Amino acid sequence: GSTMMAQISAPNVNYVQIDSLVVMKIVKHVDSELYAGMSEVAGEACQGLLTGLVAVEDGRLEITNCFPTARAEPMLDSEEGANQANQQYEEMKQAEMIDMLRKFRNMNIDYELVGFYQAHPFSACFNQEMAESLFDYQSSVTDGVVLIYDPVKTRQGQLSFTAYRLSIPALTLFHKGDWSPESVKAAGITFETMFEELPVVIKNSHLVNVMVAELSLAPSLRTNEKLGAHLELGTKRSLEKCVRSMMVNIDEMNKSIQAFSKYQMDRQKHDANVNAQMQKRELENEQRRARGEPALSMDDIRKMKGPILGTRNGMLDALLTSLDTQSLCDFATKVTGENVAKLFLAEGLAEIKVSKA
């Protein structure tokens, strides 16, 4: 345990600063893939790598550049050579990453990997693949993060970036690879303490600030100004999709709860059986001692195999599904709250137009 803990060092950063160039590159990458429907076909998140540097004295992680990772050719598992194709894809991804970092270094751009980004509607990003990738990054880069971009919220007029890292107890459990209920309880992990969210600050260069100031002063652009996406009322489709995802998650949660209830009952039976066997052995040993014979060992009873939680990854799936559901709930709550305010605004505007007419 102590050697493992030595590898897990406390992070140095407490907030993330993203360059506006990175914001624009991620938005462009995700939008082009969404329009092409690539995420739907490949069935994986649109993602890429983040480069930058750590300012330890300021507790800041600076993300100064990024690039997308190669997309796999969609293949069904049943197809011949699917495993070989996956292996080739992984090798191609590694080669592309090393090539890109070499180019960055030659151009004198920050080439230190500091994490990765993914696009997830409603910021519902919590799945096993993401958690394991983040663990890999944090094992090699102490201050590695995942940056989650929400294309749905952004299209509704609010740029949405969130940065996460695994908490130290969660990192320790990933190291052990043991997500049994006992380990999770001993580590004190709940779905709320599994990840840490870091504040995100977007940094503009002086040139960008000058351009934005000039744009805001330019009269020709403002003459025919339309109401922006902020007052968009058409959030019905995204809300519907959000609630559907929530229902799928709730079904998964119910299965996890049933598996956990069965596990608890099996555990009680197992413990009762072990106790009964121990008492029986103790009585036997007392009789043996009275006869001057050596006592029998208790080890075989202690080593009796206990029940195993009937889920694929122990408690990990339940924790991630809870986090995912919370993200969906947050989105639904925020959007419905905003929609009510927008409706009142729209009503007010309609009344003003009617009175003017």
Side-chain angles (χ1 to χ4, degrees):
S2 58
T3 49
M4 281 185 178
M5 281 309 290
Q7 292 171 309
I8 302 171
S9 43
N12 303 302
V13 303
N14 45 38
Y15 76 101
V16 175
Q17 177 183 296
I18 316 176
D19 213 273
S20 52
L21 167 77
V22 175
V23 172
M24 288 187 280
K25 279 174 88 169
I26 292 175
V27 172
K28 184 177 184 297
H29 170 212
V30 175
D31 263 24
S32 62
E33 286 209 4
L34 277 178
Y35 281 122
M38 283 166 88
S39 302
E40 306 282 321
V41 175
E44 59 174 25
C46 175
Q47 55 193 357
L49 300 175
L50 302 167
T51 64
L53 45 105
V54 177
V56 177
E57 61 282 354
D58 300 331
R60 178 177 71 239
L61 175 67
E62 287 183 28
I63 298 170
T64 53
N65 219 315
C66 66
F67 57 92
T69 47
R71 270 279 188 205
E73 285 292 318
M75 269 190 95
L76 299 171
D77 288 340
S78 57
E79 281 183 41
E80 284 289 315
N83 284 342
Q84 196 185 344
N86 286 338
Q87 201 178 335
Q88 284 174 342
Y89 162 59
E90 283 304 324
E91 285 166 12
M92 180 182 77
K93 232 160 88 162
Q94 282 295 108
E96 275 202 15
M97 180 186 86
I98 292 161
D99 180 48
M100 200 67 168
L101 293 176
R102 194 180 292 121
K103 283 173 180 164
F104 273 27
R105 189 170 60 205
N106 293 344
M107 291 166 71
N108 212 9
I109 298 171
D110 297 325
Y111 61 91
E112 188 187 328
L113 275 182
V114 291
F116 62 105
Y117 69 85
Q118 285 190 345
H120 289 274
F122 324 115
S123 298
C125 58
F126 301 98
N127 56 44
Q128 196 187 343
E129 192 191 348
M130 180 275 238
E132 284 177 353
S133 299
L134 189 51
F135 167 63
D136 288 343
Y137 272 91
Q138 283 181 246
S139 298
S140 52
V141 182
T142 307
D143 293 300
V145 295
V146 60
L147 193 63
I148 302 298
Y149 166 67
D150 179 359
V152 175
K153 215 179 243 181
T154 304
R155 282 188 185 176
Q156 289 174 3
Q158 295 172 336
L159 184 66
S160 174
F161 279 98
T162 330
Y164 293 107
R165 67 177 170 216
L166 285 162
S167 64
I168 294 211
L171 274 173
T172 315
L173 274 196
F174 265 111
H175 257 298
K176 289 179 185 167
D178 175 14
W179 288 91
S180 64
E182 286 78 18
S183 297
V184 172
K185 194 176 178 185
I189 289 182
T190 65
F191 73 95
E192 287 156 323
T193 58
M194 192 174 166
F195 288 84
E196 292 170 1
E197 187 183 332
L198 291 162
V200 172
V201 176
I202 294 173
K203 183 189 178 230
N204 283 335
S205 69
H206 298 309
L207 280 171
V208 170
N209 284 332
V210 168
M211 184 187 81
V212 170
E214 281 193 356
L215 283 173
S216 66
L217 291 170
S220 58
L221 289 167
R222 292 210 318 272
T223 48
N224 192 17
E225 215 174 310
K226 296 202 292 277
L227 281 174
H230 290 289
L231 291 176
E232 182 68 57
L233 289 167
T235 52
K236 182 170 171 269
R237 270 188 66 211
S238 60
L239 257 178
E240 211 172 281
K241 206 170 177 188
C242 173
V243 174
R244 277 184 203 283
S245 304
M246 231 186 284
M247 284 159 73
V248 171
N249 279 0
I250 296 299
D251 284 346
E252 286 300 310
M253 291 291 289
N254 280 333
K255 283 179 196 165
S256 295
I257 290 165
Q258 282 167 5
F260 188 70
S261 302
K262 184 181 181 305
Y263 168 81
Q264 276 186 313
M265 283 163 69
D266 291 349
R267 164 65 57 192
Q268 282 170 351
K269 279 181 197 165
H270 172 77
D271 290 347
N273 182 27
V274 167
N275 276 337
Q277 297 268 25
M278 293 276 259
Q279 283 171 350
K280 194 176 167 190
R281 181 68 54 90
E282 192 55 54
L283 279 169
E284 262 180 68
N285 281 342
E286 274 178 27
Q287 288 166 1
R288 288 175 75 93
R289 278 190 215 105
R291 293 199 297 268
E293 293 171 11
L296 294 168
S297 168
M298 296 272 194
D299 286 354
D300 58 326
I301 299 174
R302 288 199 188 98
K303 283 177 186 167
M304 279 167 69
K305 267 185 90 78
I308 296 169
L309 184 65
T311 54
R312 204 173 59 240
N313 302 302
M315 296 290 283
L316 180 60
D317 291 347
L319 291 167
L320 292 170
T321 311
S322 304
L323 277 160
D324 227 39
T325 312
Q326 190 182 32
S327 298
L328 294 164
C329 286
D330 289 348
F331 177 87
T333 311
K334 201 159 188 230
V335 166
T336 44
E338 284 168 1
N339 279 1
V340 170
K342 286 175 191 174
L343 279 169
F344 279 117
L345 258 174
E347 258 181 22
L349 285 168
E351 280 169 18
I352 291 165
K353 278 187 179 172
V354 168
S355 61
K356 277 185 180 175

